[in-house]
Amino acid sequence: MPTDSLLVTIFAVAMIVVFAAALFWADMQTRPKQLANPPATKRRAF
């Protein structure tokens, strides 16, 4: 594989990884706090 093709491939993969990390970070920032920390449910004794 020529060096130019290898550099383009590495750059493309790196950009996809950075984009995925940014989407994951944004999802964590906008996730409601209620879903992140589920409340302790009280169960009735039958």
Side-chain angles (χ1 to χ4, degrees):
M1 180 181 285
T3 306
D4 293 342
S5 298
L6 187 60
L7 288 175
V8 169
T9 302
I10 290 171
F11 180 74
V13 170
M15 290 305 295
I16 291 169
V17 169
V18 167
F19 183 66
L23 287 179
F24 179 75
W25 177 80
D27 186 43
M28 288 294 126
Q29 295 299 314
T30 59
R31 183 168 290 188
K33 300 296 182 195
Q34 295 173 350
L35 293 178
N37 297 325
T41 57
K42 295 181 179 178
R43 296 181 181 223
R44 295 184 181 185
F46 289 107

